Amino acid sequence: MTVSLEQLGRCHFAVDLGAARTRVYVKGAGLVVDQPSVAAVNTRTGALIAVGDFAEQMTGRTPQYIRVVRPVSGGTVVDIEMAQRMLRHLLGDKMRRALRRKPRLRAAACTPHEADPLARRATIETLVGLGARRVELVDTLIAAAVGCGLPVERPEATMVMVCGAAATQVAVLSLGSIVTAERIPVGGEAVDRAIVQHLRHKHELMLPSQSVRPLQIALSDNGLTPQGPVSTEIHGRDVATGLARSVRVDTAAMRTAIHTPLLAVLDGIGKVLRDCPPDLVADLVDRGIMMVGGTALLPGLDQMLQEAIGIPVHIAERPDICAVQGLGAMLEGKIAPLVLAPLAA
């Protein structure tokens, strides 16, 4: 494995800073934080008012002196100070005191594939501000593959697709390392925006994507597949009058609008398969792709991808927390290291 399992085994806690949610795994305690990566700030005093679920409920509903911020964008920390304050409040006083008692506190964190040095440095600085003396960085693709139980250490192909809020990452792994990978800047937020724009242009209806989940309204049952519901009722605000209005929209047109951003995901999968050695591609014909991440729960997405690429597509048991579960398994020493020692002459 490209990361040092020995060093990860010495870490005391692990953090998965995602654009949508922040998750913290503490060694010996398990998953202790699973909250939205949102904070609400009083602009007059600079005080932090709320974090997590409560702060997300404030989105679009605050007076002028309260600002709702997201310190993480696309898996990268864009506001280090706010990310530190958010993590402190999410952990709570009791957990922070327990971590501070650890000698030479060590931390691990997920980073997007091929993250630039500034993004990696921002993640390290965020955890150093929490008291960590050393921070180990793990590629999100490897952590997610370990978390969903894929045999990444074997000399055979395993393909994982991390469907995040801001981006989708696809990789083929073998012998504990990434053989080929691609990061596509299309995620769940792009799908939400496609639905919002469709309703605005075709029905003159404004639907704020942050205050509601339009996917859960417009896509039920089989979602992206033609076997889904024929129509659905949407509530929003009329563009012209500003009054509340409800319209019944054709879900076939909604699926067409969603397919446009998802074409980039299909192109990314195709590029990864083209760059992959033929022997590994042959393994994937039977094993298929494992989908993880919150957007993997989009109804019918797995069926659409399977029909487009012709290989099986599976969804992990808990796709939303696979990355932090993988980090936790490394911290707890549940992953056996792969030893490739040189042969004797």
Side-chain angles (χ1 to χ4, degrees):
M1 188 170 289
T2 55
V3 292
S4 172
L5 289 174
E6 182 182 358
Q7 294 293 340
L8 286 171
R10 298 175 182 174
C11 293
H12 301 97
F13 71 102
V15 179
D16 178 17
L17 282 167
R21 299 184 74 86
T22 293
R23 299 176 176 92
V24 180
Y25 185 101
V26 175
K27 192 173 185 177
L31 187 64
V32 297
V33 173
D34 185 2
Q35 295 278 340
S37 305
V38 188
V41 183
N42 186 327
T43 57
R44 296 173 181 172
T45 63
L48 197 63
I49 298 175
V51 294
D53 288 323
F54 189 39
E56 189 174 46
Q57 293 173 10
M58 293 183 178
T59 304
R61 299 179 173 88
T62 60
Q64 291 184 349
Y65 68 92
I66 296 178
R67 185 166 59 99
V68 178
V69 297
R70 294 179 178 270
V72 184
S73 177
T76 301
V77 178
V78 294
D79 188 338
I80 296 175
E81 181 183 357
M82 187 56 64
Q84 291 174 350
R85 296 174 68 185
M86 180 185 73
L87 278 171
R88 289 192 192 102
H89 283 79
L90 289 176
L91 283 170
D93 293 336
K94 183 178 179 180
M95 184 58 67
R96 283 191 290 121
R97 283 196 299 268
L99 290 175
R100 281 200 298 265
R101 286 195 292 267
K102 304 287 186 182
R104 294 191 60 83
L105 182 64
R106 293 173 179 242
C110 287
T111 55
H113 180 65
E114 292 185 347
D116 59 79
L118 286 177
R120 298 166 67 89
R121 188 65 188 173
T123 303
I124 293 173
E125 290 293 334
T126 300
L127 298 185
V128 167
L130 292 178
R133 301 289 296 274
R134 183 184 175 97
V135 179
E136 302 290 341
L137 299 181
V138 182
D139 195 303
T140 302
L141 290 164
I142 294 179
V146 171
C148 62
L150 292 178
V152 295
E153 299 291 344
R154 298 179 185 175
E156 55 191 35
T158 55
M159 191 168 185
V160 63
M161 186 169 84
V162 180
C163 307
T168 300
Q169 303 174 70
V170 187
V172 174
L173 298 92
S174 180
L175 291 173
S177 301
I178 296 175
V179 178
T180 178
E182 188 74 15
R183 187 172 185 268
I184 308 108
V186 174
E189 293 175 353
V191 176
D192 285 357
R193 285 194 299 269
I195 291 181
V196 171
Q197 291 174 3
H198 172 78
L199 292 172
R200 184 182 180 93
H201 295 156
K202 298 296 183 181
H203 300 277
E204 297 183 349
L205 193 73
M206 293 182 65
L207 186 67
S209 61
Q210 292 182 348
S211 60
V212 295
R213 282 290 296 175
L215 295 178
Q216 297 177 359
I217 302 173
L219 298 175
S220 56
D221 299 331
N222 294 317
L224 299 179
T225 63
Q227 290 76 30
V230 177
S231 64
T232 186
E233 189 174 8
I234 301 290
H235 307 282
R237 190 179 72 180
D238 190 277
V239 173
T241 65
L243 300 177
R245 184 163 64 91
S246 301
V247 296
R248 181 161 288 277
V249 298
D250 184 11
T251 52
M254 199 77 73
R255 287 192 292 269
T256 302
I258 290 175
H259 272 72
T260 302
L262 292 180
L263 287 176
V265 177
L266 291 174
D267 291 342
I269 295 174
K271 185 177 185 303
V272 169
L273 293 175
R274 288 193 299 270
D275 295 342
C276 190
D279 291 342
L280 295 181
V281 175
D283 292 342
L284 297 174
V285 172
D286 297 327
R287 192 167 290 111
I289 304 175
M290 180 66 73
M291 292 176 58
V292 302
T295 308
L297 298 173
L298 178 62
L301 177 59
D302 54 335
Q303 299 178 38
M304 189 206 77
L305 294 176
Q306 182 168 325
E307 293 173 0
I309 61 181
I311 61 177
V313 178
H314 313 285
I315 301 176
E317 184 177 354
R318 288 292 308 276
D320 51 337
I321 61 173
C322 279
V324 74
Q325 280 184 332
L327 285 177
M330 297 178 194
L331 263 62
E332 302 285 1
K334 298 179 180 178
I335 307 299
L338 177 68
V339 179
L340 294 176
L343 299 177

